[in-house]
């Protein structure tokens, strides 16, 4: 009977330690995700505005596409 009490006590203590470690890891993971969400919320306005260099590249690419289409029309090629 004493052996069973020792084994069951050790099992309960071991399970408690494992549960506490898992809880600590879960709290850390939640804190990490919260920081990621905060970072995403703070970065959102900057991402919507975009960089001026990126906007200029898009505009240049658009202008090049328009020039290509106009040249094709001038040479009589259907697109």
């Amino acid at each position: 009977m004493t052996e069973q009490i020792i084994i069951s006590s050790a099992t309960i203590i071991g399970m408690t330690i494992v549960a506490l470690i898992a809880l600590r890891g879960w709290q850390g993971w939640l804190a990490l995700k919260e920081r990621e969400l905060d970072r995403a919320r703070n970065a959102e306005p900057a991402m919507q505005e975009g960089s001026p260099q990126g906007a200029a590249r898009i505009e240049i690419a658009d202008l090049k596409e328009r020039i290509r289409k106009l040249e094709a029309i001038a040479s009589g090629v259907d697109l």
Side-chain angles (χ1 to χ4, degrees):
M1 174 124 170
T2 311
E3 248 181 67
Q4 291 176 348
I5 292 174
I6 292 172
I7 291 173
S8 62
S9 298
T11 303
I12 290 173
I13 290 172
M15 289 176 58
T16 303
I17 290 171
V18 169
L20 290 173
I21 290 171
L23 179 62
R24 178 73 174 155
W26 176 252
Q27 289 172 343
W29 184 81
L30 287 177
L32 173 68
K33 291 299 175 183
E34 186 176 352
R35 278 186 261 139
E36 286 178 359
L37 288 173
D38 287 341
R39 183 178 298 163
R41 278 188 215 121
N42 293 339
E44 188 175 324
M47 292 177 97
Q48 287 179 351
E49 294 172 6
S51 70
Q53 292 175 348
R57 287 182 183 162
I58 291 172
E59 189 172 340
I60 290 172
D62 186 41
L63 291 173
K64 285 182 180 179
E65 181 68 20
R66 288 182 186 182
I67 290 171
R68 187 183 67 78
K69 286 180 181 180
L70 289 173
E71 288 175 344
I73 291 171
S75 65
V77 177
D78 279 336
L79 295 177

Coordinates of all heavy atoms in Angstrom, one line a residue:
M1 N 0.8 -1.2 0.0 CA 0.0 0.0 0.0 C 0.9 1.3 0.0 O 0.5 2.2 -0.7 CB -0.9 0.0 1.2 CG -1.7 1.2 1.4 SD -3.4 0.8 1.4 CE -4.1 2.3 1.9
T2 N 2.0 1.2 0.7 CA 2.9 2.4 0.8 C 3.5 2.6 -0.6 O 3.7 3.8 -1.0 CB 4.0 2.1 1.8 OG1 3.4 1.7 3.0 CG2 4.8 3.4 2.1
E3 N 3.8 1.5 -1.3 CA 4.4 1.7 -2.6 C 3.4 2.4 -3.5 O 3.8 3.2 -4.3 CB 4.7 0.3 -3.2 CG 6.2 0.0 -3.3 CD 6.3 -1.4 -3.9 OE1 6.0 -1.6 -5.1 OE2 6.9 -2.2 -3.1
Q4 N 2.1 2.0 -3.5 CA 1.1 2.7 -4.3 C 1.0 4.1 -4.1 O 0.8 4.9 -5.0 CB -0.2 1.9 -4.2 CG -0.2 0.5 -4.7 CD -1.5 -0.2 -4.4 OE1 -2.3 0.3 -3.6 NE2 -1.8 -1.3 -5.0
I5 N 1.1 4.5 -2.8 CA 0.9 5.9 -2.4 C 2.1 6.7 -3.0 O 2.0 7.8 -3.5 CB 0.8 6.1 -0.9 CG1 -0.5 5.5 -0.4 CG2 1.0 7.6 -0.5 CD1 -0.7 5.5 1.1
I6 N 3.3 6.1 -2.9 CA 4.5 6.8 -3.4 C 4.4 6.9 -4.9 O 4.7 8.0 -5.5 CB 5.8 6.0 -3.0 CG1 6.0 6.1 -1.5 CG2 7.0 6.6 -3.7 CD1 7.1 5.2 -0.9
I7 N 4.0 5.9 -5.6 CA 3.9 5.9 -7.0 C 2.9 6.9 -7.5 O 3.1 7.8 -8.4 CB 3.7 4.5 -7.6 CG1 4.9 3.6 -7.4 CG2 3.3 4.6 -9.1 CD1 4.6 2.2 -7.8
S8 N 1.7 6.9 -6.8 CA 0.7 7.9 -7.2 C 1.0 9.3 -6.9 O 0.7 10.2 -7.7 CB -0.7 7.5 -6.6 OG -0.6 7.5 -5.1
S9 N 1.7 9.5 -5.8 CA 2.2 10.9 -5.4 C 3.2 11.4 -6.4 O 3.1 12.5 -6.9 CB 2.8 10.9 -4.0 OG 1.8 10.5 -3.1
A10 N 4.1 10.5 -6.8 CA 5.2 10.9 -7.8 C 4.5 11.2 -9.2 O 4.9 12.1 -9.8 CB 6.2 9.8 -7.9
T11 N 3.5 10.4 -9.5 CA 2.8 10.6 -10.8 C 2.1 11.9 -10.8 O 2.1 12.7 -11.7 CB 1.8 9.5 -11.0 OG1 2.5 8.2 -11.0 CG2 1.1 9.6 -12.4
I12 N 1.4 12.2 -9.7 CA 0.7 13.5 -9.6 C 1.6 14.7 -9.6 O 1.4 15.7 -10.3 CB -0.2 13.5 -8.3 CG1 -1.4 12.6 -8.4 CG2 -0.7 14.9 -8.0 CD1 -2.2 12.4 -7.2
I13 N 2.7 14.6 -8.9 CA 3.7 15.7 -8.9 C 4.3 15.8 -10.3 O 4.5 17.0 -10.8 CB 4.8 15.4 -7.8 CG1 4.3 15.5 -6.4 CG2 6.0 16.3 -8.0 CD1 5.2 15.1 -5.3
G14 N 4.6 14.7 -10.9 CA 5.2 14.8 -12.3 C 4.2 15.4 -13.3 O 4.5 16.3 -14.1
M15 N 2.9 15.0 -13.2 CA 1.9 15.6 -14.1 C 1.7 17.1 -13.8 O 1.5 17.9 -14.7 CB 0.6 14.9 -13.9 CG 0.6 13.5 -14.5 SD -0.9 12.5 -14.2 CE -2.1 13.5 -14.9
T16 N 1.8 17.5 -12.5 CA 1.7 18.9 -12.2 C 2.8 19.7 -12.7 O 2.6 20.8 -13.3 CB 1.7 19.1 -10.6 OG1 0.6 18.3 -10.1 CG2 1.5 20.5 -10.2
I17 N 4.0 19.2 -12.7 CA 5.2 19.9 -13.2 C 5.1 20.0 -14.7 O 5.3 21.1 -15.3 CB 6.5 19.1 -12.9 CG1 6.8 19.3 -11.4 CG2 7.7 19.6 -13.7 CD1 7.9 18.4 -10.8
V18 N 4.6 18.9 -15.4 CA 4.5 19.0 -16.9 C 3.4 20.0 -17.2 O 3.5 20.8 -18.2 CB 4.1 17.6 -17.4 CG1 3.7 17.7 -18.9 CG2 5.3 16.7 -17.3
A19 N 2.3 20.0 -16.5 CA 1.2 21.0 -16.7 C 1.7 22.4 -16.5 O 1.3 23.3 -17.3 CB 0.0 20.7 -15.8
L20 N 2.4 22.7 -15.5 CA 3.0 24.0 -15.3 C 3.9 24.5 -16.4 O 3.9 25.6 -16.8 CB 3.6 24.1 -13.9 CG 2.7 24.0 -12.7 CD1 3.5 23.9 -11.4 CD2 1.7 25.2 -12.7
I21 N 4.7 23.5 -16.8 CA 5.6 23.9 -17.9 C 4.9 24.2 -19.2 O 5.1 25.1 -19.9 CB 6.7 22.7 -18.2 CG1 7.6 22.7 -17.0 CG2 7.4 22.9 -19.5 CD1 8.5 21.4 -17.0
A22 N 3.8 23.4 -19.5 CA 3.0 23.6 -20.7 C 2.3 24.9 -20.6 O 2.1 25.6 -21.5 CB 2.0 22.4 -20.8
L23 N 1.8 25.2 -19.4 CA 1.1 26.5 -19.2 C 2.0 27.7 -19.4 O 1.6 28.7 -20.0 CB 0.5 26.6 -17.8 CG -0.3 27.8 -17.4 CD1 -1.5 28.0 -18.3 CD2 -0.7 27.8 -15.9
R24 N 3.2 27.6 -18.9 CA 4.2 28.6 -19.1 C 4.5 28.8 -20.6 O 4.6 29.9 -21.1 CB 5.5 28.3 -18.3 CG 6.6 29.3 -18.4 CD 6.3 30.5 -17.7 NE 7.4 31.4 -17.7 CZ 7.4 32.7 -17.6 NH1 6.3 33.3 -17.4 NH2 8.5 33.4 -17.7
G25 N 4.7 27.7 -21.3 CA 4.9 27.8 -22.8 C 3.7 28.4 -23.5 O 3.9 29.2 -24.4
W26 N 2.5 28.0 -23.1 CA 1.3 28.6 -23.7 C 1.2 30.1 -23.5 O 0.9 30.9 -24.4 CB 0.1 27.9 -23.1 CG -1.2 28.4 -23.6 CD1 -2.1 29.2 -22.9 CD2 -1.8 28.3 -24.9 NE1 -3.2 29.5 -23.7 CE2 -3.0 28.9 -24.9 CE3 -1.3 27.7 -26.1 CZ2 -3.8 29.0 -26.1 CZ3 -2.2 27.7 -27.2 CH2 -3.4 28.4 -27.2
Q27 N 1.5 30.6 -22.3 CA 1.5 32.0 -22.0 C 2.6 32.7 -22.8 O 2.3 33.8 -23.3 CB 1.7 32.2 -20.5 CG 0.6 31.8 -19.7 CD 0.8 31.9 -18.2 OE1 2.0 32.0 -17.8 NE2 -0.2 31.9 -17.4
G28 N 3.7 32.1 -23.0 CA 4.8 32.7 -23.8 C 4.4 32.8 -25.3 O 4.6 33.8 -25.9
W29 N 3.7 31.8 -25.8 CA 3.3 31.8 -27.2 C 2.2 32.9 -27.4 O 2.2 33.6 -28.4 CB 2.7 30.4 -27.5 CG 2.3 30.3 -28.9 CD1 3.1 30.0 -30.0 CD2 1.0 30.4 -29.5 NE1 2.4 30.0 -31.2 CE2 1.1 30.2 -30.9 CE3 -0.2 30.6 -28.9 CZ2 0.0 30.3 -31.7 CZ3 -1.3 30.7 -29.7 CH2 -1.2 30.5 -31.1
L30 N 1.3 33.0 -26.4 CA 0.2 34.0 -26.5 C 0.8 35.4 -26.5 O 0.4 36.3 -27.2 CB -0.8 33.9 -25.4 CG -1.7 32.7 -25.5 CD1 -2.6 32.6 -24.3 CD2 -2.6 32.8 -26.7
A31 N 1.9 35.6 -25.6 CA 2.5 36.9 -25.6 C 3.2 37.2 -26.9 O 3.2 38.4 -27.4 CB 3.5 36.9 -24.4
L32 N 3.8 36.2 -27.5 CA 4.5 36.4 -28.8 C 3.4 36.8 -29.9 O 3.7 37.7 -30.6 CB 5.2 35.1 -29.2 CG 5.8 35.1 -30.6 CD1 6.9 36.1 -30.7 CD2 6.2 33.7 -31.0
K33 N 2.3 36.1 -29.9 CA 1.3 36.4 -30.9 C 0.7 37.8 -30.7 O 0.4 38.5 -31.6 CB 0.2 35.4 -30.9 CG 0.6 34.0 -31.4 CD 1.1 34.2 -32.8 CE 1.6 32.9 -33.4 NZ 2.1 33.0 -34.7
E34 N 0.6 38.2 -29.4 CA 0.1 39.5 -29.1 C 1.0 40.6 -29.6 O 0.6 41.6 -30.1 CB -0.2 39.7 -27.6 CG -0.8 41.0 -27.2 CD -1.1 41.0 -25.7 OE1 -0.9 40.0 -25.0 OE2 -1.5 42.1 -25.2
R35 N 2.3 40.4 -29.4 CA 3.3 41.3 -29.9 C 3.3 41.4 -31.4 O 3.4 42.5 -32.0 CB 4.7 40.9 -29.4 CG 5.0 41.4 -28.0 CD 6.4 41.2 -27.6 NE 6.4 39.9 -26.8 CZ 7.2 39.0 -26.9 NH1 8.3 39.0 -27.7 NH2 7.1 37.9 -26.1
E36 N 3.1 40.3 -32.1 CA 3.0 40.3 -33.6 C 1.8 41.1 -34.0 O 1.9 41.8 -35.0 CB 2.9 38.8 -34.1 CG 4.2 38.1 -34.0 CD 4.1 36.7 -34.5 OE1 3.0 36.2 -34.9 OE2 5.1 35.9 -34.5
L37 N 0.7 40.9 -33.3 CA -0.5 41.6 -33.7 C -0.4 43.1 -33.5 O -0.8 44.0 -34.3 CB -1.8 41.1 -32.9 CG -2.3 39.7 -33.3 CD1 -3.3 39.3 -32.4 CD2 -2.8 39.8 -34.7
D38 N 0.3 43.5 -32.4 CA 0.5 44.9 -32.1 C 1.4 45.5 -33.2 O 1.2 46.6 -33.6 CB 1.2 45.1 -30.7 CG 0.2 44.9 -29.6 OD1 -1.0 44.9 -29.8 OD2 0.6 44.6 -28.4
R39 N 2.4 44.8 -33.5 CA 3.4 45.2 -34.6 C 2.6 45.4 -35.9 O 2.8 46.4 -36.6 CB 4.5 44.3 -34.7 CG 5.6 44.7 -35.7 CD 6.7 43.8 -35.9 NE 7.4 43.7 -34.6 CZ 8.2 42.7 -34.3 NH1 8.5 41.8 -35.1 NH2 8.8 42.7 -33.1
A40 N 1.7 44.5 -36.2 CA 1.0 44.5 -37.5 C 0.0 45.7 -37.4 O -0.2 46.4 -38.4 CB 0.2 43.2 -37.7
R41 N -0.6 46.0 -36.3 CA -1.5 47.1 -36.2 C -0.7 48.5 -36.3 O -1.2 49.4 -37.0 CB -2.2 47.1 -34.8 CG -3.4 46.2 -34.8 CD -4.2 46.4 -33.5 NE -4.7 45.1 -33.1 CZ -4.4 44.5 -32.0 NH1 -3.7 45.1 -31.1 NH2 -5.0 43.3 -31.7
N42 N 0.4 48.5 -35.7 CA 1.2 49.8 -35.8 C 1.8 50.0 -37.2 O 2.0 51.1 -37.7 CB 2.4 49.7 -34.8 CG 1.8 49.8 -33.4 OD1 0.7 50.2 -33.1 ND2 2.6 49.3 -32.4
A43 N 2.1 48.9 -37.9 CA 2.7 49.0 -39.3 C 1.6 49.2 -40.3 O 1.9 49.5 -41.5 CB 3.5 47.8 -39.6
E44 N 0.4 49.0 -40.0 CA -0.7 49.0 -41.0 C -0.8 50.3 -41.8 O -0.9 50.3 -43.0 CB -2.0 48.6 -40.4 CG -3.2 48.4 -41.4 CD -4.4 48.0 -40.7 OE1 -4.3 47.2 -39.7 OE2 -5.5 48.4 -41.1
P45 N -0.8 51.5 -41.1 CA -0.9 52.7 -41.8 C 0.2 53.0 -42.8 O 0.0 53.4 -43.9 CB -0.9 53.8 -40.8 CG -1.4 53.1 -39.5 CD -0.9 51.7 -39.7
A46 N 1.4 52.6 -42.4 CA 2.6 52.7 -43.3 C 2.5 51.8 -44.5 O 2.9 52.2 -45.6 CB 3.9 52.4 -42.5
M47 N 1.9 50.7 -44.3 CA 1.8 49.7 -45.4 C 0.7 50.2 -46.4 O 0.8 50.0 -47.6 CB 1.4 48.4 -44.9 CG 2.5 47.7 -44.2 SD 2.0 46.1 -43.5 CE 2.7 45.1 -44.8
Q48 N -0.3 50.9 -45.9 CA -1.4 51.4 -46.8 C -0.8 52.5 -47.7 O -1.2 52.7 -48.8 CB -2.6 51.8 -46.0 CG -3.4 50.7 -45.5 CD -4.6 51.1 -44.6 OE1 -4.7 52.3 -44.4 NE2 -5.4 50.2 -44.3
E49 N 0.0 53.4 -47.1 CA 0.5 54.5 -47.8 C 1.5 54.0 -48.9 O 1.5 54.6 -50.0 CB 1.2 55.5 -46.9 CG 0.3 56.2 -45.9 CD 1.0 57.0 -44.8 OE1 2.2 57.1 -45.0 OE2 0.4 57.4 -43.9
G50 N 2.3 53.1 -48.6 CA 3.3 52.6 -49.5 C 4.5 53.5 -49.6 O 4.5 54.6 -49.1
S51 N 5.5 53.0 -50.2 CA 6.7 53.8 -50.3 C 6.6 54.6 -51.6 O 6.1 54.1 -52.6 CB 8.0 52.9 -50.3 OG 8.0 52.2 -51.5
P52 N 7.2 55.8 -51.6 CA 7.2 56.6 -52.8 C 8.0 55.9 -53.9 O 7.6 56.1 -55.1 CB 7.8 57.9 -52.4 CG 8.3 57.8 -51.0 CD 7.8 56.5 -50.4
Q53 N 9.0 55.2 -53.6 CA 9.8 54.5 -54.7 C 9.0 53.4 -55.3 O 9.0 53.3 -56.5 CB 11.1 53.9 -54.1 CG 12.1 54.9 -53.6 CD 13.2 54.3 -52.9 OE1 13.2 53.1 -52.6 NE2 14.3 55.0 -52.7
G54 N 8.2 52.7 -54.5 CA 7.3 51.6 -55.1 C 6.3 52.2 -56.0 O 6.0 51.7 -57.0
A55 N 5.7 53.3 -55.5 CA 4.6 54.0 -56.3 C 5.2 54.5 -57.6 O 4.6 54.4 -58.7 CB 4.0 55.1 -55.5
A56 N 6.4 55.0 -57.6 CA 7.1 55.6 -58.8 C 7.4 54.4 -59.8 O 7.2 54.6 -61.0 CB 8.4 56.3 -58.4
R57 N 7.8 53.3 -59.2 CA 8.1 52.1 -60.1 C 6.8 51.6 -60.8 O 6.8 51.3 -62.0 CB 8.7 51.0 -59.3 CG 10.1 51.3 -58.9 CD 10.7 50.1 -58.2 NE 12.1 50.4 -57.7 CZ 12.7 49.8 -56.8 NH1 12.1 48.8 -56.2 NH2 13.9 50.1 -56.4
I58 N 5.7 51.6 -60.0 CA 4.5 51.2 -60.6 C 4.0 52.1 -61.7 O 3.6 51.7 -62.8 CB 3.4 51.0 -59.5 CG1 3.8 49.8 -58.6 CG2 2.0 50.8 -60.1 CD1 2.9 49.7 -57.4
E59 N 4.2 53.4 -61.4 CA 3.8 54.4 -62.4 C 4.6 54.3 -63.7 O 4.1 54.4 -64.8 CB 3.9 55.8 -61.8 CG 3.3 56.9 -62.6 CD 3.3 58.2 -61.9 OE1 3.4 58.3 -60.7 OE2 3.2 59.3 -62.6
I60 N 5.9 54.1 -63.5 CA 6.8 54.0 -64.7 C 6.4 52.7 -65.5 O 6.4 52.8 -66.7 CB 8.3 53.9 -64.2 CG1 8.7 55.3 -63.7 CG2 9.2 53.5 -65.4 CD1 10.1 55.4 -63.1
A61 N 6.1 51.6 -64.8 CA 5.7 50.4 -65.5 C 4.4 50.6 -66.2 O 4.3 50.2 -67.4 CB 5.6 49.3 -64.5
D62 N 3.5 51.4 -65.6 CA 2.2 51.7 -66.3 C 2.5 52.5 -67.5 O 1.9 52.3 -68.6 CB 1.3 52.4 -65.3 CG -0.1 52.6 -65.9 OD1 -0.6 51.7 -66.5 OD2 -0.6 53.7 -65.7
L63 N 3.3 53.5 -67.4 CA 3.6 54.4 -68.6 C 4.3 53.6 -69.7 O 4.0 53.8 -70.9 CB 4.5 55.5 -68.1 CG 3.8 56.6 -67.3 CD1 4.8 57.6 -66.8 CD2 2.7 57.3 -68.0
K64 N 5.2 52.7 -69.3 CA 5.9 51.9 -70.4 C 4.8 51.0 -71.1 O 4.9 50.8 -72.3 CB 6.9 51.0 -69.7 CG 8.2 51.8 -69.4 CD 9.2 50.8 -68.8 CE 10.5 51.6 -68.4 NZ 11.5 50.7 -67.8
E65 N 3.9 50.4 -70.3 CA 2.9 49.6 -70.9 C 2.0 50.4 -71.9 O 1.6 49.9 -73.0 CB 2.0 49.0 -69.8 CG 0.9 48.0 -70.3 CD 1.4 46.8 -70.9 OE1 2.6 46.4 -70.7 OE2 0.7 46.2 -71.7
R66 N 1.6 51.6 -71.5 CA 0.8 52.5 -72.4 C 1.6 52.8 -73.6 O 1.0 52.8 -74.7 CB 0.5 53.7 -71.6 CG -0.6 53.5 -70.6 CD -1.0 54.8 -69.9 NE -1.9 54.6 -68.8 CZ -2.4 55.6 -68.1 NH1 -2.1 56.9 -68.4 NH2 -3.2 55.4 -67.1
I67 N 2.9 53.1 -73.5 CA 3.7 53.4 -74.7 C 3.8 52.2 -75.6 O 3.6 52.4 -76.8 CB 5.1 53.9 -74.2 CG1 5.0 55.3 -73.6 CG2 6.1 53.9 -75.4 CD1 6.3 55.7 -72.9
R68 N 3.9 51.0 -75.0 CA 4.0 49.8 -75.8 C 2.7 49.6 -76.6 O 2.7 49.3 -77.8 CB 4.3 48.6 -74.9 CG 4.5 47.3 -75.7 CD 4.7 46.1 -74.8 NE 3.5 45.8 -74.1 CZ 2.5 45.1 -74.6 NH1 2.5 44.7 -75.8 NH2 1.5 44.8 -73.8
K69 N 1.6 49.8 -75.9 CA 0.3 49.7 -76.6 C 0.1 50.7 -77.7 O -0.4 50.4 -78.8 CB -0.9 49.8 -75.6 CG -1.0 48.6 -74.7 CD -2.1 48.7 -73.7 CE -2.2 47.5 -72.8 NZ -3.3 47.7 -71.8
L70 N 0.5 52.0 -77.4 CA 0.4 53.0 -78.5 C 1.3 52.7 -79.7 O 0.9 52.9 -80.8 CB 0.7 54.4 -77.9 CG -0.3 55.0 -76.9 CD1 0.2 56.2 -76.2 CD2 -1.6 55.2 -77.6
E71 N 2.5 52.2 -79.4 CA 3.4 51.8 -80.5 C 2.8 50.7 -81.3 O 2.9 50.7 -82.6 CB 4.7 51.5 -80.0 CG 5.5 52.7 -79.5 CD 6.9 52.2 -78.9 OE1 7.0 51.0 -78.5 OE2 7.7 53.1 -78.7
A72 N 2.1 49.8 -80.6 CA 1.5 48.6 -81.4 C 0.3 49.1 -82.2 O 0.1 48.7 -83.4 CB 1.0 47.6 -80.4
I73 N -0.5 50.1 -81.7 CA -1.6 50.6 -82.4 C -1.0 51.4 -83.6 O -1.6 51.3 -84.8 CB -2.4 51.5 -81.5 CG1 -3.2 50.7 -80.5 CG2 -3.4 52.4 -82.3 CD1 -3.9 51.5 -79.4
A74 N 0.0 52.2 -83.4 CA 0.6 52.9 -84.5 C 1.2 52.0 -85.6 O 1.1 52.4 -86.8 CB 1.7 53.9 -84.0
S75 N 1.7 50.9 -85.3 CA 2.2 50.0 -86.3 C 1.1 49.1 -86.9 O 1.4 48.3 -87.8 CB 3.4 49.2 -85.8 OG 2.9 48.3 -84.7
G76 N -0.1 49.2 -86.3 CA -1.2 48.4 -86.9 C -1.3 47.0 -86.3 O -2.0 46.1 -86.9
V77 N -0.7 46.7 -85.2 CA -0.7 45.3 -84.6 C -1.9 45.3 -83.6 O -2.0 46.2 -82.8 CB 0.6 45.0 -83.9 CG1 0.5 43.6 -83.3 CG2 1.8 45.0 -84.9
D78 N -2.7 44.3 -83.7 CA -3.8 44.1 -82.7 C -3.2 43.4 -81.4 O -2.4 42.5 -81.5 CB -4.9 43.3 -83.2 CG -5.8 44.1 -84.1 OD1 -5.9 45.3 -83.9 OD2 -6.5 43.5 -85.0
L79 N -3.6 43.9 -80.3 CA -3.2 43.3 -79.0 C -4.2 42.4 -78.5 O -5.3 42.4 -78.4 CB -2.9 44.4 -78.0 CG -1.7 45.3 -78.3 CD1 -1.5 46.4 -77.3 CD2 -0.4 44.5 -78.4

